[in-house]
Amino acid sequence: MTATISPKRAHEAPSIRTNVRGYAERVRGGDMGALPAVFGIVVLCTIFAVLRPSFLTTGNFANLFTQGAAVTVIAMGLVFVLLLGEIDLSAGFASGVCAAVLAIMLSSQGLPWYVAVGAAILTGVVIGTTLGAIVAKLGIPSFVVTLAAFLAFQGLVLLLVQGGTIIAIRDETILAIANKNLPPVLGWILLAACVAAYAGLQLLRARKRAARGLTSDPISLIAVRVGSLTLLGGLAVYFLNLERSRNPAVVSLAGVPIVVPIIVVLLLVLTFVLRRTAFGRHLYAVGGNAEAARRAGINVDRMKISAFVICSSMAAVGGIMAASRASSVDPNTGGSNVLLYAVGAAVIGGTSLFGGKGRVLDAVLGGAVVAIIENGMGLMGYSAGIKFMVTGSVLLLAAMVDALSRKRAAATGLR
């Protein structure tokens, strides 16, 4: 992001130093951004690596991605609703309903995988449209509407899977989503493409701002960002390309898990929608002050409905990933701790519960924190009760940081 430079240093040429100063000013002013989540990832990885060296194995590293994929994707959709200061408590079981539709289409109806996936996502769109319309048009609080939907969808999942039946998924394409890996060479090609695209966008953005006479990021800072992405991405691809199978002659487990590029594509698309489109700007405006946005000519009702549609559609994608990982759908799909972890991921990553502040990247970072806690404590042999308590404590801490940051920002006049 371009740093905000104080008036007394406005004459300084853009440099890494001025950007660092601007970032430090924002942090002191209460704009913590993703800093707490990144700090949490580093601390948690260090603790678990020291206590359980097996945490750093390539097999466990790959497992972190597949383990947290479904929750992360659902959290990405929840960001859009949270930006409006709303909540969707039904996202977990909505993913379960969509997963059940997928399984029925594949197993009972024998339809192709792409038809089943389309039906599952369409189910998410219908759910989101219905919830959004009730919240926007009838004025019922989203907490009440989605709590009712939470209970209803839980019953609907039971009906779809006929009580306690487990519907097995045998379609190879669907199973590959969470259980297969890319060829090692393709992993490097995708990394190179991502780095090249990121560098091109950064340079294009800097050139456009400079042409308009606006402060732009210096080339040195862009080089640092691109270099950091290349280094971190290169290390990740390298370790994921190492053979993780104990018997490679029978089955190979080398390569980047397929869920990784899927999440990256969703991250890029949704980030573009939020940061580079009128829809995204309107969403932030409504979340910041709905009445002011309405007076400015923004259709607030349509924004709310759209946010819920995106949320439920992403829940459908998350449900597909969960069904792929489990190779089946059962009455508990989308239940248990899925919703709690998804909301926790969005908030822990830096999305505000009060609306108007958040990014899709926050859900990814928060999802990483949740996955690391669950995975690391599992390796240490802690019970589910301890995991819930620790994750809840981290969520409460993130909410406290958000509240304190808002107070700090208000006191310093940054909001």
Side-chain angles (χ1 to χ4, degrees):
M1 294 178 62
T2 303
T4 302
I5 304 176
S6 60
K8 64 181 180 182
R9 292 197 304 273
H11 65 280
E12 294 184 21
S15 66
I16 294 180
R17 178 177 296 181
T18 55
N19 276 265
V20 170
R21 287 176 179 173
Y23 178 74
E25 287 181 359
R26 294 199 304 273
V27 171
R28 286 196 297 268
D31 185 6
M32 301 291 288
L35 183 61
V38 174
F39 179 75
I41 291 173
V42 173
V43 171
L44 289 169
C45 287
T46 303
I47 292 175
F48 289 132
V50 172
L51 298 179
R52 280 292 182 273
S54 59
F55 178 81
L56 293 180
T57 60
T58 55
N60 192 61
F61 182 47
N63 186 51
L64 282 172
F65 289 101
T66 56
Q67 185 175 354
V71 167
T72 298
V73 170
I74 296 173
M76 292 165 76
L78 280 167
V79 167
F80 285 78
V81 174
L82 293 174
L83 280 174
L84 296 177
E86 305 288 352
I87 188 68
D88 186 355
L89 299 177
S90 69
F93 274 115
S95 72
V97 170
C98 297
V101 170
L102 172 82
I104 292 172
M105 291 289 184
L106 291 174
S107 301
S108 302
Q109 304 299 322
L111 296 174
W113 69 267
Y114 48 86
V115 175
V117 169
I121 295 177
L122 180 60
T123 301
V125 172
V126 172
I127 289 173
T129 303
T130 303
L131 296 178
I134 294 174
V135 171
K137 299 300 184 181
L138 300 183
I140 304 175
S142 59
F143 179 89
V144 177
V145 173
T146 58
L147 178 59
F150 169 87
L151 298 172
F153 294 158
Q154 186 173 5
L156 183 55
V157 171
L158 286 171
L159 293 175
L160 289 173
V161 300
Q162 298 179 359
T165 304
I166 297 177
I167 305 178
I169 295 178
R170 297 184 176 86
D171 186 272
E172 292 297 327
T173 303
I174 299 299
L175 293 177
I177 294 175
N179 298 287
K180 297 294 183 179
N181 307 303
L182 298 174
V185 174
L186 185 55
W188 288 113
I189 293 175
L190 289 178
L191 173 63
C194 288
V195 171
Y198 178 75
L201 290 174
Q202 288 286 307
L203 291 172
L204 181 62
R205 180 170 179 263
R207 178 178 296 180
K208 285 184 176 181
R209 290 184 64 85
R212 296 173 182 173
L214 302 174
T215 303
S216 60
D217 293 334
I219 297 298
S220 56
L221 179 60
I222 294 176
V224 169
R225 290 173 177 168
V226 174
S228 299
L229 176 62
T230 303
L231 177 61
L232 294 176
L235 289 173
V237 172
Y238 171 77
F239 284 111
L240 290 172
N241 279 345
L242 296 177
E243 184 58 67
R244 304 186 292 273
S245 175
R246 295 182 178 180
N247 193 349
V250 177
V251 58
S252 175
L253 295 178
V256 178
I258 292 177
V259 295
V260 174
I262 294 176
I263 291 177
V264 170
V265 170
L266 291 174
L267 172 63
L268 294 176
V269 171
L270 295 179
T271 297
F272 177 82
V273 170
L274 273 184
R275 313 295 277 190
R276 294 289 182 267
T277 66
F279 171 82
R281 291 189 291 271
H282 291 173
L283 199 69
Y284 281 108
V286 173
N289 190 321
E291 185 56 34
R294 181 179 287 105
R295 293 181 179 181
I298 298 175
N299 190 326
V300 175
D301 289 351
R302 184 165 58 188
M303 298 306 299
K304 288 185 177 181
I305 295 173
S306 300
F308 276 95
V309 168
I310 293 174
C311 181
S312 296
S313 299
M314 294 301 292
V317 177
I320 294 171
M321 289 183 173
S324 172
R325 185 166 186 260
S327 303
S328 64
V329 173
D330 58 59
N332 197 44
T333 301
S336 185
N337 53 15
V338 172
L339 172 67
L340 301 179
Y341 279 0
V343 174
V347 176
I348 290 170
T351 300
S352 176
L353 288 168
F354 303 97
K357 174 188 171 185
R359 303 172 301 169
V360 181
L361 180 61
D362 295 341
V364 178
L365 294 174
V369 172
V370 172
I372 289 170
I373 292 174
E374 185 177 14
N375 179 275
M377 298 194 75
L379 291 175
M380 294 177 66
Y382 286 108
S383 65
I386 300 297
K387 293 180 186 178
F388 285 145
M389 292 176 64
V390 172
T391 306
S393 299
V394 173
L395 173 58
L396 178 60
L397 179 62
M400 291 172 62
V401 169
D402 177 38
L404 293 174
S405 297
R406 291 176 65 88
K407 288 185 178 180
R408 178 63 178 171
T412 56
L414 293 181
R415 280 188 65 85

